[in-house]
Amino acid sequence: MTNDQSHLQRAIALARANVAQGGRPFGAVLTRHGKVLVEAVNEIHLTQDPTAHAELLAIRTASRQLGARLDGCVIYASGQPCPMCLSAMYLCGVERVVFAASNAMAEPFGLSTAAISQQVGLPIEAQHLPIQHLPDASMSALYHQWKTLHDPE
């Protein structure tokens, strides 16, 4: 078994155990340079937190260990990561994602996030969720203040 296959099988085993404990069929394994750093499962059933996805929990735990950048890390997930989890992966610099079940496979079970992916890919004004932009000029000064504090040249 390749490392990818081994880590992916572990994510699936975590998902299987989570289902047995009343949770959703989602598990994730986060590795860095081939070494397992974090294992996580979807905890929505325990916390009622809709963001408690396995991948996001793995990222949160790994970030506490390594900092906000997870360069060199790979996430193995039992299911196709949702847009929220993918966004977090982009934000923290995850190097690669490997998953087992696609949204197409998950769709008949009500577990696909393809519709959400489609919505967030649309321009703001075309999305179903009403999103209103109220510009505030003071934000520019706040952004400049932040840049000065975090990028002193």
Side-chain angles (χ1 to χ4, degrees), residues 51-67:
T51 69
H53 292 199
E55 301 94 327
L56 206 52
L57 294 175
I59 288 169
R60 289 174 184 161
T61 301
S63 294
R64 284 191 290 272
Q65 295 172 19
L66 303 174

Side-chain angles (χ1 to χ4, degrees), residues 110-149:
L111 296 170
S112 172
T113 57
I116 297 170
S117 294
Q118 187 270 335
Q119 279 295 303
V120 298
L122 295 173
I124 289 175
E125 63 276 359
Q127 294 182 29
H128 288 298
L129 178 66
I131 303 170
Q132 184 178 9
H133 175 212
L134 291 176
D136 189 313
S138 69
M139 286 305 300
S140 180
L142 183 58
Y143 281 9
H144 282 295
Q145 179 185 3
W146 176 84
K147 178 120 174 99
T148 301
L149 292 170

Side-chain angles (χ1 to χ4, degrees), residues 6-127:
S6 175
H7 295 316
L8 189 58
Q9 288 304 310
R10 179 63 186 151
I12 293 168
L14 290 165
R16 186 176 293 112
N18 202 43
V19 167
Q21 295 174 2
R24 296 179 184 202
F26 301 110
V29 174
L30 188 146
T31 67
R32 187 171 196 201
H33 307 302
K35 178 184 173 207
V36 174
L37 293 182
V38 178
E39 294 182 343
V41 296
N42 182 296
E43 293 183 359
I44 293 173
H45 68 294
L46 299 174
T47 64
Q48 300 306 305
D49 175 354
T51 69
H53 292 199
E55 301 94 327
L56 206 52
L57 294 175
I59 288 169
R60 289 174 184 161
T61 301
S63 294
R64 284 191 290 272
Q65 295 172 19
L66 303 174
R69 294 297 304 170
L70 298 180
D71 300 319
C73 290
V74 177
I75 291 185
Y76 298 87
S78 60
Q80 184 170 341
C82 74
M84 174 184 64
C85 293
L86 279 174
S87 295
M89 292 175 203
Y90 276 109
L91 285 169
C92 69
V94 165
E95 180 177 289
R96 196 162 60 96
V97 182
V98 179
F99 67 91
S102 68
N103 275 326
M105 180 184 286
E107 180 67 33
F109 306 98
L111 296 170
S112 172
T113 57
I116 297 170
S117 294
Q118 187 270 335
Q119 279 295 303
V120 298
L122 295 173
I124 289 175
E125 63 276 359
Q127 294 182 29

